[in-house]
Amino acid sequence: MGQRRATITAVGHYVPEKVLTNFDLEKMVDTSDEWIRTRTGIRERRILEKGATSDLAVEAIKRLFENSGVAPDEIEVLIVATVTPDMFFPSTAAVIQEKLGLKKAWGFDLSAACSGFIYALITGAQFIESGNYKKVLVVGADKMSSIVDYTDRNTCVLFGDAAGAVLLEPTDDPEYGIIDHVFYMDGSGGKYLYMPGGGSLNPPSHETVDKKMHYIYQDGRAVFKVAVVGMADVSAEIVERNGLTGKDIDWLVPHQANLRIITATAERMGLDLSKVMINIDRYGNTTAATIPLCLSEYWECGKLKPGHMVVMSAFGAGYTWGAVLMRWSLPNPPKPRPDVARYCEEMDSRRFEMVEELKIKNEVGK
Amino acid sequence: MDIEAKVKQIIVNKLNVSEDKVVPEASFINDLGADSLDTVELVMEFEKEFGIQVPDEDAEKIRTVGDAINYLKQKLGQA
């Protein structure tokens, strides 16, 4: 008897309109477009000027509903991966339920930082595989601009705001859907990437504000090293343990934190960059949103197709990290919407341009 | 290949710099155009090539070509 599997049957994403470019940041902190581009791959990011994380998520889910024809009252469970909830409680899931009228859904928030989406995806898949639910909505949404210190040049260039959503449903076809996952957590990494203030350890006070404890703290060197190794190892592990090689993978969907981590992961898997989803240049690191944002854009553009074997992998605060293996089953739309269509053409050429820039960055040192 | 030559070769490849610049007193960041993440990648390359582990507290002290050569010689018991 085959195991009942969950598969992705609808996707949607949202990015706010306001663009914050590297040139804008040059005016705010001591940095340069050239430095940011060649060190991280990021050219610009989006900022939500008014509203909260739930508003990003609501727009992404609306797009998912429009793409699929699914109605709000069909949703049974809503899982929201985020580290920037609207508030501690009620959950962002509850806020979204009210805003969208997901009358029959129950749900909750899930906190796993940059690994939040893949953790939430597999959590949602369990509800399907158990046979108890048929429509589970999984959202990755973060308004990172709400916890970024725009006077800290080490972190403010990295992050942006966005949301992505996927719908999970059961599939009877054993060829498709979510096949496997490998997840890890190592709490000893907590001190290298965190936000110290605002929780029960350091409740908000004048002091926590004065000491800038409500912003992201990151030890870039420490995180970079473990992220490169962690994401590459787990991506290779999931491929190998399913008896596959890089040749069998159609798409690597890596968390978009730094282009150098992405290229190192692809290299480790023996994957050509033509098989790696990259949009970090346009959005930066949007934490829980990066992976569904990639899936949704590449799907709309007709590049992610039914039958494709996909590896999603992420590394984030905690530390948390992991990889998911799935075979894509969702047919493409007849054509992408206008906001995505303008990127479809250049998706391939731009990837190589960006990687070339990384390679030549040391010309100055010659 | 002795340690010194191998270290220099790794630096030349990783930082994409010409060999004559890779002298013991050259600083990775000030003279060879590396940034802090490049130095992390460089240490990872040493770890891979020499089959060793370099703790973070040691890695932070490796700032010049000479630092790297001395550290690796010591670590591999050839100082």
Side-chain angles (χ1 to χ4, degrees):
Chain A
M1 201 175 76
Q3 198 202 343
R4 178 182 161 112
R5 259 192 201 151
T7 194
I8 293 174
T9 57
V11 293
H13 70 273
Y14 175 74
V15 293
E17 273 169 34
K18 158 96 176 163
V19 176
L20 185 68
T21 66
N22 292 351
F23 299 104
D24 296 329
L25 287 164
E26 281 180 355
K27 295 174 201 141
M28 296 159 68
V29 288
D30 181 17
T31 190
S32 75
D33 169 60
E34 197 264 342
W35 192 92
I36 302 170
R37 251 188 309 119
T38 57
R39 260 62 183 191
T40 69
I42 302 166
R43 290 166 191 243
E44 56 188 49
R45 64 291 289 143
R46 301 297 181 98
I47 303 296
L48 182 67
E49 291 183 289
K50 264 192 195 166
T53 295
S54 65
D55 297 306
L56 296 166
V58 161
E59 292 304 318
I61 298 168
K62 276 187 188 164
R63 190 168 178 134
L64 178 148
F65 286 152
E66 286 164 18
N67 286 342
S68 63
V70 171
D73 62 5
E74 291 179 61
I75 304 302
E76 297 169 313
V77 184
L78 169 64
I79 307 174
V80 182
T82 185
V83 288
T84 52
D86 287 21
M87 51 190 88
F88 265 166
F89 66 88
S91 67
T92 310
V95 177
I96 294 167
Q97 181 204 31
E98 168 62 15
K99 286 183 178 173
L100 282 171
L102 310 178
K103 292 193 187 79
K104 290 183 186 151
W106 65 277
F108 55 92
D109 292 1
L110 187 152
S111 169
C114 296
S115 307
F117 178 76
I118 56 170
Y119 271 33
L121 184 72
I122 294 303
T123 304
Q126 309 303 307
F127 291 118
I128 302 283
E129 288 165 12
S130 70
N132 289 324
Y133 296 94
K134 291 196 175 65
K135 281 194 169 62
V136 177
L137 196 53
V138 177
V139 184
D142 271 301
K143 185 188 176 185
M144 296 307 288
S145 61
S146 66
I147 55 168
V148 163
D149 175 2
Y150 284 98
T151 64
D152 175 9
R153 66 171 183 174
N154 294 314
T155 54
C156 76
V157 304
L158 301 174
F159 295 97
D161 304 339
V166 304
L167 182 66
L168 289 172
E169 291 186 80
T171 172
D172 296 328
D173 191 334
E175 293 291 311
Y176 293 98
I178 295 169
I179 298 164
D180 194 14
H181 71 277
V182 179
F183 286 173
Y184 294 104
M185 182 161 76
D186 177 2
S188 70
K191 56 186 176 289
Y192 301 111
L193 177 52
Y194 68 118
M195 187 174 84
S200 55
L201 179 62
N202 300 299
S205 66
H206 287 292
E207 197 196 349
T208 62
V209 171
D210 291 342
K211 286 184 167 170
K212 299 191 163 198
M213 290 167 77
H214 299 277
Y215 293 128
I216 299 164
Y217 168 83
Q218 175 170 245
D219 178 341
R221 277 181 66 113
V223 175
F224 181 75
K225 186 175 176 182
V226 286
V228 167
V229 176
M231 224 166 97
D233 280 355
V234 78
S235 306
E237 183 184 350
I238 199 162
V239 170
E240 283 160 20
R241 84 172 199 175
N242 283 279
L244 306 171
T245 70
K247 287 192 188 73
D248 302 305
I249 304 305
D250 296 292
W251 286 111
L252 169 67
V253 194
H255 169 58
Q256 314 274 309
N258 184 315
L259 189 55
R260 290 156 79 170
I261 300 175
I262 296 172
T263 52
T265 303
E267 207 170 292
R268 175 68 196 280
M269 294 172 74
L271 271 192
D272 190 88
L273 280 165
S274 60
K275 293 177 162 191
V276 184
M277 292 191 190
I278 299 173
N279 62 15
I280 190 173
D281 53 324
R282 285 181 281 126
Y283 305 126
N285 181 351
T286 57
T287 306
T290 57
I291 290 176
L293 183 55
C294 275
L295 291 174
S296 186
E297 281 196 342
Y298 276 74
W299 171 78
E300 269 201 40
C301 287
K303 294 182 186 296
L304 169 61
K305 295 176 187 164
H308 277 172
M309 194 63 101
V310 175
V311 172
M312 307 171 209
S313 56
F315 189 99
Y319 297 126
T320 53
W321 70 106
V324 172
L325 178 72
M326 80 168 288
R327 194 186 282 279
W328 194 256
S329 58
L330 178 62
N332 298 96
K335 60 176 188 177
R337 300 217 209 156
D339 61 327
V340 168
R342 59 198 167 119
Y343 299 120
C344 295
E345 289 288 318
E346 58 187 51
M347 266 177 177
D348 297 320
S349 58
R350 203 151 166 176
R351 260 199 308 263
F352 293 102
E353 246 172 61
M354 288 158 63
V355 175
E356 279 308 305
E357 275 191 344
L358 277 190
K359 283 185 186 150
I360 59 164
K361 73 180 182 324
N362 282 299
E363 293 290 311
V364 256
K366 275 193 172 170
Chain B
M1 202 190 286
D2 68 357
I3 293 176
E4 192 167 333
K6 197 167 167 185
V7 167
K8 284 186 175 172
Q9 195 54 52
I10 292 168
I11 295 167
V12 165
N13 291 342
K14 189 77 217 167
L15 299 182
N16 200 15
V17 289
S18 62
E19 223 170 316
D20 56 305
K21 297 245 176 175
V22 185
V23 291
E25 57 276 14
S27 151
F28 297 126
I29 290 179
N30 297 329
D31 303 317
L32 301 178
D35 69 358
S36 65
L37 299 188
D38 289 320
T39 61
V40 175
E41 288 179 331
L42 196 56
V43 168
M44 290 170 71
E45 208 60 31
F46 293 146
E47 290 181 327
K48 199 168 83 185
E49 291 295 322
F50 292 100
I52 53 161
Q53 290 288 322
V54 181
D56 288 348
E57 54 269 30
D58 291 355
E60 276 165 31
K61 290 181 201 138
I62 303 173
R63 298 205 174 107
T64 66
V65 175
D67 290 345
I69 293 168
N70 292 336
Y71 178 82
L72 288 161
K73 277 185 175 171
Q74 213 166 29
K75 189 96 178 173
L76 298 162
Q78 292 181 28

